[in-house]
Structures are given as C-alpha cells and as structure tokens.
Amino acid sequence: MFRSAIKRVGYSRVLLIHVRAQQASLHIRRGHAAVAGKQEWPEQEMVPIGNKKPLHVSPLRRYDEITSQGPVKSDPDQRKVIEKLDELWYDLREYQPPAIQENKGKSMWGSWFGYRNQKSPVLRDVPESLYIHGNVGTGKTMVMDLFFDTLAIKRKRRVHFHAFMLDVHQRIHRVKSQYPVLADPLSPIAEDLVKEAYVLCFDEFQVTDIADAMILRNLFEELFKRGVVLVTTSNRHPTELYKNGIQRASFIPCIDLLMKKCQVLCLDSGTDYRKMERAQSHVFFHPLNQQTQQKMDEMTQLLTQGKKMVSKDLNFLSRTLTIPAQVDGVAKMKFSDVCAKPLSAADYLEIVKNFHTVILTEIPRMTMKHRAEARRFITFIDAMYESHVVLIASAESNMMDIFNADEGKEEMEEQLLSMRDSFDVSDISSPLFSGQEEAFAFQRALSRLIQMQSTEWVSKNK
C-alpha cells in the first residue's frame, strides 16, 4: 500500500510524499471517479503523450487511459505523484495570475529603472508548486510531460534546466551589455519570463555551476513574487542540491525558498524503466576495431544515402562551432571533437537544434582522470535525449564500462590538494570534488543511453 507522511526536516511546512511500490505494476481500470467538488471534462478523443496541443482531460484520467491500453504499465508510485499533479491541474483552471504590468509611454530604459519603485502585485490563492525527485528512469519526466501536455493554458513553458539557465545567462548578458549601470537585471528578466509563461516546468533541475547557484535565489524570489507556479523534476531532494559546493552557504536561501514554495514529492519505485528489457537497435558498437569501423561506415552510408558529408559552421552567441562532417541533418564527429575541448551546454544545445541524428565515434573508456570529458559527455547526452536526437556511437568498451569513478582518484586528489586553497572549500570530499557527482550523473546518462538504443526510440525519432 501507499504510505504518505508529513516529515519535518528543519523546515516548517513541507509535505514530503514518499511512496514505495509493493509490486512492479498494478492493473488500473480505464477511467476514474471525478474528484469531489470538481467537474470532470467530457469524453475526448485520446491523443498520444507528447502531442503539444492541450487536451481537455486531466493528467490522472489521461494516465489511466494510456496505461489501460499499453504499452505503458501503471505504476503505483507514478500514479500517486500524478494525483498531486492532477490537483494542481484543477487548481490552475481557477487561478488568475497577476496582470502583466505594461509600461506605456516609457522607454525600455525608464521601465527597467522603474522596477525599484513599483509595488509587488498582490497574490491571492497561488497554487503550490511541485518538486518531484527520485532515482533515474522512474518516470519523473513522463509524468511532468503528461501534466504539461494536458494543461490548457497558453502561458506555459516546459524546458530542460540546462536550456533555461542558458537562456537566463543570455538575457543577463544582453541587459548588461545595453545598460551597464543597471545593478540588478533579474527583476526585469523575471518580468519578461512571467509575460511569456506563469507555469514553468523544468526537467532535470540540478545545480553544479557556481554562477547558476549565485543567480537562482534572487531569480526564484522574483518569479515567485510574480505568481509563477513551478513544476520541476530532479534526481536530488532540494536539500541535496549543490551539496558541499563552492560558497554553498550563499545558495542555502534558495533551498529554503524551494522548501517553502514547493510540495516535495518523491517518485522512487526502485525500477529504472529505461533499463527494462526491450527490443534493441544496433546503434552502439564496440570495441574500437576494424569491424566496428566497417559497421559505422555502413551506418553512415545508410543514414546519408551515400551523400558527401561536408563541414559546417554553427554561428551563435558571437562564437563559431565547426561540425567536421554533416549532411541533411546528420552530423558525424569524434568524441575528441566535442568532449575533449572546452565546450559547454550552449554548444551541445546548438548541435541538437541543427541535427536530428548524431554519429559519435571513438568514445574512450573514462576514469576520474577524464572527469572533465565525462562531464561534457553527460551534458551532450542530456541535450540529445531532451531533443529526441538519434545517436549512433562507437566506443572503446561496452556501455556499462565507459566510465569508472573508482579509477584515477589518486592523481585527481593530488590536483585538488593544490587547488584547495584557491576555493572556499574546506573539505575536498565534496561530491563536486570527489567524483560522486560525476558518478551519479553518469548513472543517469547511462540510463538514457540504454533507452536511446531501443528500437522504439530510434524508430520514433528517426
């Protein structure tokens, strides 16, 4: 049976719903009783998950429909979280966000500098935000997408957290470039974000970058005081975010704010659905030998229909990224081209924006000596997964052995000891320094890589 308990962990009001599955699946009959006091929408034609047209059907009802038909199986943990998303869905039908303040007759300069003198909008009955955390592959993204796709409002936004923070940094750069004397650009940026969407859905909320950590507290304060409702997924409980990170004390107020504004839900059934046995496509080849090279050449010929591949420059953010070989939406590159160079999430997002298929060759076996390359590889995988890109890859070893967090620690610790005095970190056992963060992130990436090998994934996204 499900268990739900109110746990107090140093915060005054946190409802932490932690449910454990007693069985892998549970048969749920199609349809469910309407929530007391809430009107159920009439029958509608069923539309697959991922359809971006809002559905006039609640998330819970839609979940029961798709699980009754298959191939998705009903999971009691998922259903418990969807019940909370369903409540929020109904609350948002009645929610009237604060009116957008127009600055008619004022210049952009004048309107931005006028934020200091503007009164904060009066907020009434703002629905409680939801923070969904749990292990990899348990369906967090799926349940959030189910909520988002059925939400019949226009001002909503669903985005991977990497992409959201990249957008925020771009906005900050743009404002500071145009108005260098503006001390705090986050108020006008928050106002613009709310004009675009007052329901924000973040996938894979994680904080490993000190620049992001320093921005988030003030940004979230500005968003919440404007009536934004947040739904986010993460592999970490809020109190575990940026744990032992550089200057983490400055990030604690952001955690406190999340705990105050969000209902924290744990989706952790112990089942990684991405790793469940399913039909696999032959898109990952190892080891790096002549036979693997021949298979990769054959795949390239098939995907490009024999067309000649040429290089292409991607121009963005006042910089240029050269793709060594591409044609008709298919890009081919070596691991060293994209993961052994100082690239960032912005570069990987630009790649997946321009190509539907990536052929990545010569992936080496990585240890803690290669933690920088491993971080970039993980970020690249996240970007491809989020954008439904098909990945064809060749590697030195099988997928399960690509990254080993237990090797190379001695050399890494020597480097960290020499760097410690330069940072505000007294304990180099921090997950950000010890390799725990990479190992945890790679577990998620591995789960995604396994799903990206499936016939279902390849056929759906090709």
Side-chain angles (χ1 to χ4, degrees):
M1 298 297 293
F2 303 113
R3 298 197 302 269
S4 113
I6 295 178
K7 295 187 179 179
R8 302 198 178 272
V9 286
Y11 297 91
S12 58
R13 44 190 295 272
V14 180
L15 176 61
L16 175 59
I17 298 184
H18 195 133
V19 291
R20 299 285 182 185
Q22 300 301 312
Q23 51 188 17
S25 63
L26 178 67
H27 177 71
I28 305 293
R29 62 183 176 83
R30 180 177 176 180
H32 70 285
V35 178
K38 295 178 180 177
Q39 181 181 359
E40 184 70 352
W41 288 94
E43 286 287 344
Q44 299 287 330
E45 180 182 358
M46 285 185 280
V47 183
I49 292 179
N51 188 300
K52 299 307 176 186
K53 183 178 179 180
L55 307 174
H56 286 197
V57 60
S58 76
L60 185 57
R61 182 172 172 184
R62 181 71 184 120
Y63 182 74
D64 286 346
E65 287 177 342
I66 62 174
T67 54
S68 68
Q69 290 190 339
V72 178
K73 294 183 179 180
S74 182
D75 181 291
D77 287 359
Q78 292 176 0
R79 199 171 193 278
K80 193 70 175 179
V81 171
I82 290 176
E83 286 173 359
K84 293 297 178 181
L85 289 165
D86 203 65
E87 291 177 11
L88 177 58
W89 186 88
Y90 278 106
D91 289 342
L92 286 168
R93 290 177 60 192
E94 309 298 328
Y95 177 54
Q96 294 295 328
I100 297 173
Q101 297 189 23
E102 300 291 343
N103 293 287
K104 295 180 179 179
K106 290 186 178 182
S107 66
M108 184 66 72
W109 175 274
S111 66
W112 277 346
F113 278 92
Y115 277 103
R116 289 175 181 262
N117 300 320
Q118 287 182 6
K119 294 182 179 179
S120 298
V122 178
L123 302 180
R124 294 185 178 90
D125 301 323
V126 180
E128 191 174 24
S129 295
L130 296 179
Y131 184 109
I132 305 166
H133 73 100
N135 285 335
V136 298
T138 54
K140 299 183 299 297
T141 299
M142 186 271 287
V143 299
M144 186 183 73
D145 286 346
L146 189 64
F147 165 80
F148 183 85
D149 290 346
T150 58
L151 191 60
I153 64 173
K154 292 182 179 179
R155 284 169 57 200
K156 63 178 182 176
R157 182 182 181 189
R158 189 269 191 213
V159 61
H160 192 276
F161 192 68
H162 271 318
F164 176 75
M165 289 309 300
L166 175 63
D167 178 34
V168 169
H169 284 293
Q170 289 175 350
R171 292 174 191 248
I172 292 173
H173 176 73
R174 190 160 55 244
V175 172
K176 287 188 173 181
S177 297
Q178 296 180 26
Y179 308 102
V181 298
L182 185 62
D184 181 13
L186 291 179
S187 288
I189 287 173
E191 193 74 14
D192 286 342
L193 288 169
V194 175
K195 287 178 182 178
E196 297 165 9
Y198 63 87
V199 176
L200 290 176
C201 294
F202 295 147
D203 192 30
E204 298 291 350
F205 185 11
Q206 57 179 322
V207 185
T208 57
D209 185 283
I210 186 172
D212 291 350
M214 297 303 103
I215 289 171
L216 283 171
R217 174 199 172 181
N218 290 337
L219 178 61
F220 279 0
E221 279 186 348
E222 295 293 338
L223 291 172
F224 281 130
K225 78 180 185 182
R226 286 170 171 80
V228 161
V229 177
L230 175 68
V231 177
T232 185
T233 70
S234 178
N235 295 126
R236 301 288 198 190
H237 187 280
T239 58
E240 297 292 312
L241 290 171
Y242 199 52
K243 189 173 182 180
N244 294 322
I246 299 170
Q247 299 180 17
R248 189 177 189 256
S250 299
F251 184 69
I252 294 297
C254 181
I255 295 175
D256 293 341
L257 183 63
L258 287 170
M259 297 297 290
K260 178 181 178 182
K261 295 292 186 179
C262 300
Q263 184 177 166
V264 181
L265 310 175
C266 182
L267 177 50
D268 192 1
S269 64
T271 301
D272 185 344
Y273 286 98
R274 298 185 192 127
K275 292 183 179 179
M276 293 181 69
E277 186 174 350
R278 63 183 76 194
Q280 297 289 304
S281 293
H282 297 291
V283 294
F284 189 94
F285 303 96
H286 72 91
L288 298 178
N289 56 23
Q290 186 174 357
Q291 184 179 8
T292 292
Q293 182 63 49
Q294 182 179 349
K295 290 178 179 178
M296 292 294 288
D297 290 342
E298 292 173 355
M299 288 293 293
T300 301
Q301 285 291 107
L302 178 65
L303 290 167
T304 62
Q305 298 181 344
K307 294 182 181 179
K308 181 180 178 181
M309 303 186 83
V310 297
S311 65
K312 179 179 180 178
D313 289 340
L314 304 181
N315 300 302
F316 61 103
L317 299 178
S318 302
R319 59 187 296 181
T320 299
L321 175 65
T322 300
I323 304 301
Q326 61 78 42
V327 66
D328 293 344
V330 178
K332 186 175 184 179
M333 60 201 74
K334 294 180 180 180
F335 177 92
S336 58
D337 293 330
V338 288
C339 298
K341 296 178 180 179
L343 302 187
S344 68
D347 298 285
Y348 303 128
L349 290 171
E350 192 68 19
I351 292 173
V352 300
K353 187 170 71 175
N354 283 272
F355 302 101
H356 56 73
T357 302
V358 170
I359 302 172
L360 185 63
T361 66
E362 302 178 20
I363 302 172
R365 184 175 178 274
M366 289 168 274
T367 68
M368 288 309 301
K369 293 189 296 184
H370 315 97
R371 61 201 301 260
E373 291 91 334
R375 276 183 177 271
R376 297 185 194 111
F377 181 59
I378 291 165
T379 303
F380 195 17
I381 294 298
D382 285 345
M384 286 189 281
Y385 183 88
E386 184 69 16
S387 296
H388 303 282
V389 168
V390 173
L391 171 66
I392 315 295
S394 65
E396 183 179 353
S397 62
N398 68 65
M399 191 179 300
M400 304 299 291
D401 296 328
I402 289 178
F403 182 72
N404 190 327
D406 294 325
E407 291 186 31
K409 281 189 174 181
E410 291 85 359
E411 292 184 27
M412 183 195 70
E413 287 173 358
E414 289 178 4
Q415 294 175 355
L416 292 177
L417 285 171
S418 64
M419 295 169 56
R420 181 174 56 180
D421 294 338
S422 301
F423 295 97
D424 182 20
V425 177
S426 59
D427 181 9
I428 62 170
S429 65
S430 160
L432 291 174
F433 287 89
S434 67
Q436 295 176 35
E437 195 68 33
E438 283 84 357
F440 184 86
F442 206 89
Q443 181 186 13
R444 183 189 72 246
L446 177 61
S447 173
R448 291 184 162 188
L449 277 170
I450 291 173
Q451 184 180 359
M452 291 167 72
Q453 284 188 90
S454 69
T455 302
E456 178 187 4
W457 176 275
V458 174
S459 62
K460 180 180 178 180
N461 298 299
K462 66 182 179 180

